[in-house]
Each structure stands twice: as C-alpha cells, then as structure tokens.
Amino acid sequence: NANGFDLYVQLVSGGNPLRLKDTQARGRPAWSPDGTQIAYQRTDGLYVVPALGGMGRRVAALGSLVNTANVAWAPTGSFFIVDGRGAALLNIPGDGGQPRALTRPGNAGDGSPAIAPDGRAVAFVRYTSTFNANLLVLPLTKERLAAGEPRSIARSTSSIRSLSWTSDGRDILFENAPGGGNAAIWRIS
C-alpha cells in the first residue's frame, strides 16, 4: 500500500513465512545483532519489532521520507544509521533519541549504509546523479561521529546498492549493474 509493506520472516526450518503485521516498512530493514529483532523505517520514523511477531515500537521520529529508507544496525546494538530522510545519512542512538546528520554530501545524496563488523566505519554510496555512484567508507569515533573524511573505494556509472561487509570486515559486497545490464554481486577489498 502507499504506506509501505509488511515484513515477513522465513524460518530456516521451513513452513510458511511469518507475517509481521502492520509494519508498513519502507526500504531495507536490518536484523538486530542477536537476531531477535528487526529495525525498519516507516514514513514517520524508525521502528523495531520482535522478529517472531509482536508490536513494533518507534525508536525515533524522523522527518519526511524522500526516497528509499535503508537501515543499518551496529553490531553492538548501540546505534543505527539510516538514509532516506534527505541527502545525508543519519545516526540514531540504539535506545532512541535525536537523529544527527553523519555525512555532508553537498549536492549529492548518500544512501545504502552498512556498518563494519567492528562498528568503526560505515560504507555507503554517494550519488551525484542517477547513474553516477561512488562507494565510500567513513571511519567512526567511539561516539559514533565521523572520524575524518570518507574514502572512495569504487566508482560506477550505474547504481550501486545493497552493501554488506564480510564477517571479518575486510571486504564489502554490493549489487551493481554496469552499463545498465543484469545486476551482479561484486566484492571489493
């Protein structure tokens, strides 16, 4: 519907998918570090719901949703990084609170955040146009603030999205469709 989609969880043991009713999720959700909860964005904020069902609770009220709404949940559970609320990535404390801008994209837009397994960096995509993407890594302080400028690790003239770090934190996996062709999973160190 216009407000988003309900989330579903498929148990590894099989059976029918479990519908998480009334989630009205937008964009890419994120699992909690212990796998018991799922964080997602709705048009009015960031929410967390038990992975096997129950009532969602709003962690943070957020401004207007302007595009896709992806969530990254820190491995420690202590913070979230979200996109979709303007050009910058937002940093939100894990127990809720006021969102803070993490990036300063200028005339670009930042999206698809993925937090490193040690929580000391975030990978994201900076779009300067529809098909001009730059994969960046931004180091983070212990206070979840930017610890310097983002470093470019890949550029593309197509859409880069769905970032994920490998468990050892050495590589980043992402989806890319060079030349507008079929999308493929890429890996970069």
Side-chain angles (χ1 to χ4, degrees), residues 63-90:
S64 298
L65 185 64
V66 295
N67 55 22
T68 57
N70 299 300
V71 178
W73 200 333
T76 59
S78 63
F79 66 99
F80 302 93
I81 296 177
V82 302
D83 66 8
R85 305 294 171 158
L89 297 178
L90 298 177

Side-chain angles (χ1 to χ4, degrees), residues 23-117:
T23 47
Q24 300 176 350
R26 304 295 291 251
R28 183 178 173 192
W31 287 91
S32 64
D34 65 4
T36 63
Q37 301 177 83
I38 300 173
Y40 60 97
Q41 288 194 63
R42 288 175 52 157
T43 55
D44 64 336
L46 175 65
Y47 286 76
V48 171
V49 66
L52 297 179
M55 292 297 299
R57 70 175 172 84
R58 188 162 68 177
V59 175
L62 300 172
S64 298
L65 185 64
V66 295
N67 55 22
T68 57
N70 299 300
V71 178
W73 200 333
T76 59
S78 63
F79 66 99
F80 302 93
I81 296 177
V82 302
D83 66 8
R85 305 294 171 158
L89 297 178
L90 298 177
N91 184 328
I92 301 169
D95 56 358
Q98 190 64 30
R100 292 188 302 197
L102 180 63
T103 59
R104 299 176 308 279
N107 292 329
D110 294 342
S112 297
I115 302 169

Side-chain angles (χ1 to χ4, degrees), residues 120-143:
R120 297 192 319 205
V122 60
F124 64 96
V125 180
R126 179 162 287 164
Y127 289 99
T128 54
S129 67
T130 303
F131 294 107
N132 189 359
N134 192 0
L135 178 53
L136 302 167
V137 174
L138 176 67
L140 300 174
T141 67
K142 291 181 183 177
E143 294 78 30

